Amino acid sequence: MLRYAAIDIGSNAVRLLIADITKTEEGFGFKKNTLIRVPLRLGDDAFLDHRISKRKTEDLLKTMSAFKNLMDVYQVSKYLACATSAMREAENGGEIIKQVKEVCDLNLEIIHGQREANIIYANHIEETLDNKRSYLYIDVGGGSTELSVFVNRIPVASKSFDIGTIRILDNQDREETWEEMKLWVKENTKSLKNLAGIGTGGNINKLYRMSDEKEGMPMSFLKLKTLYNNLNSHSLKERIQVFGLNPDRADVIIPACEIYITLLKWTGIKQIYVPKVGLADGIINLLIEENLNQQNYK
């Protein structure tokens, strides 16, 4: 069995996805074998102090060592490890990359916002889109929000903004960044009719599950707003107890809702599709494109 792995070092959590590569008549795909998520919260250090602390660096190194051991046991043949907003902002990000290489024997890449968006594109969500509609693609992370506009299944504009759930919780989001995002969204969607949303990220996935929408059907703006009002009316402790949310999800889900709701309001979008894919899935698809679609699979 051919296996690939994706490591996503985000501002809120670090993920390892091990995937079994499959061959179909259309080409290559994958089945998720193992997914591990560790809530390290690197963003708390990066956005407040612009450095990853010694303690969190040690936790990251332990996590990466564990991931490397699991990849060895699962006989992973290709992997890609990407770090996003928190590591981009940390002054000691380069030092940590060297430590990860020395201690864990893993190559880690700090990716900029456009590269992050391009990896997410590798999920080829556009193939499932209705070419009669235009879409605003919204990927909300702990440190940044990636936006793309799709017209006729083609991305015509994309931009990354330093607005994310951890950044908002730490009061490190800036008014001018919100204004910049508003202007960009309005400018790039003003001429588009029949606009729908696409949302990716752990928080919108959770909200979609909570909405009880039928698989593949969009979640309405009204349903999202109702969920937000309900969640926001409960304390953090109640969100954990009443809704069964993990502690590291129960706080970030509120600012995530606020980002999605704000963007949908600005654009007048009434429905958002949630395909339940993210950066880790995109990394696997990218590895398939780079290593398999160029050659024969045996």
Side-chain angles (χ1 to χ4, degrees):
M1 173 62 71
L2 186 61
R3 289 198 177 110
Y4 288 168
I7 295 175
D8 168 13
I9 299 173
S11 305
N12 185 26
V14 177
R15 295 175 182 83
L16 168 68
L17 170 61
I18 295 175
D20 297 336
I21 309 305
T22 57
K23 191 174 191 306
T24 64
E25 290 179 1
E26 291 80 32
F28 298 94
F30 70 90
K31 182 175 181 295
K32 293 181 184 182
N33 181 309
T34 301
L35 177 63
I36 296 168
R37 180 179 180 277
V38 184
L40 290 186
R41 286 275 163 107
L42 299 179
D44 282 337
D45 286 358
F47 306 140
L48 291 169
D49 305 323
H50 303 289
R51 288 184 68 81
I52 306 295
S53 66
K54 185 180 177 184
R55 184 181 67 79
K56 291 214 173 176
T57 298
E58 288 171 354
D59 286 347
L60 178 63
L61 289 171
K62 287 174 186 173
T63 304
M64 291 299 103
S65 293
F67 285 3
K68 176 67 165 64
N69 288 335
L70 280 169
M71 285 160 56
D72 289 346
V73 170
Y74 276 92
Q75 298 180 334
V76 166
S77 58
K78 298 277 183 188
Y79 76 92
L80 182 60
C82 297
T84 56
S85 189
M87 288 282 278
R88 280 200 293 267
E89 205 142 315
E91 293 167 356
N92 58 338
E95 298 166 31
I96 292 171
I97 282 181
K98 288 177 186 171
Q99 286 180 272
V100 168
K101 179 63 178 172
E102 288 168 7
V103 175
C104 316
D105 193 26
L106 284 174
N107 295 311
L108 176 58
E109 176 189 350
I110 297 178
I111 58 173
H112 54 77
Q114 188 57 55
R115 164 86 162 145
E116 190 172 345
N118 290 342
I119 290 173
I120 295 167
Y121 288 163
N123 288 309
H124 294 298
I125 290 168
E126 75 280 358
E127 293 173 1
T128 66
L129 303 184
D130 180 351
N131 58 12
K132 295 184 180 69
R133 302 191 76 170
S134 299
Y135 297 86
L136 176 64
Y137 187 110
I138 309 163
D139 183 78
V140 173
S144 64
T145 294
E146 270 64 51
L147 299 180
S148 301
V149 177
F150 280 83
V151 178
N152 297 324
R153 299 184 179 178
I154 297 167
V156 296
S158 67
K159 194 168 175 63
S160 178
F161 296 91
D162 287 340
I163 292 173
T165 57
I166 303 296
R167 211 182 280 271
I168 291 172
L169 285 178
D170 291 340
N171 293 311
Q172 296 302 304
D173 57 315
R174 297 155 65 92
E175 191 61 43
E176 52 264 43
T177 312
W178 280 98
E179 191 58 33
E180 183 192 357
M181 186 163 76
K182 182 178 183 179
L183 290 171
W184 186 91
V185 166
K186 287 190 171 286
E187 181 64 30
N188 285 283
T189 62
K190 64 182 180 183
S191 62
L192 301 176
K193 300 284 189 289
N194 204 15
L195 189 65
I198 300 172
T200 56
N203 289 296
I204 196 75
N205 287 347
K206 184 63 182 176
L207 288 161
Y208 187 77
R209 286 195 294 273
M210 291 172 71
S211 75
D212 292 326
E213 288 289 354
K214 190 178 175 184
E215 186 78 28
M217 297 301 291
M219 176 167 55
S220 70
F221 172 79
L222 189 61
K223 180 71 71 77
L224 179 60
K225 191 79 170 23
T226 302
L227 277 169
Y228 168 68
N229 290 336
N230 194 8
L231 286 163
N232 206 27
S233 69
H234 291 77
S235 68
L236 178 64
K237 188 176 179 182
E238 286 170 342
R239 275 178 241 141
I240 294 166
Q241 292 174 342
V242 176
F243 297 98
L245 297 177
N246 291 334
D248 64 290
R249 178 70 67 206
D251 55 355
V252 293
I253 203 164
I254 296 298
C257 281
E258 289 164 357
I259 296 170
Y260 285 107
I261 286 168
T262 300
L263 285 162
L264 298 189
K265 271 185 182 174
W266 286 343
T267 53
I269 289 173
K270 298 290 190 289
Q271 293 179 320
I272 184 164
Y273 291 84
V274 184
K276 297 183 186 176
V277 294
L279 188 70
D281 305 79
I283 290 172
I284 300 293
N285 279 315
L286 190 66
L287 287 170
I288 289 171
E289 285 179 13
E290 291 177 348
N291 294 284
L292 293 178
N293 288 346
Q294 320 295 331
Q295 62 188 48
N296 291 325
Y297 174 66
K298 294 180 182 177

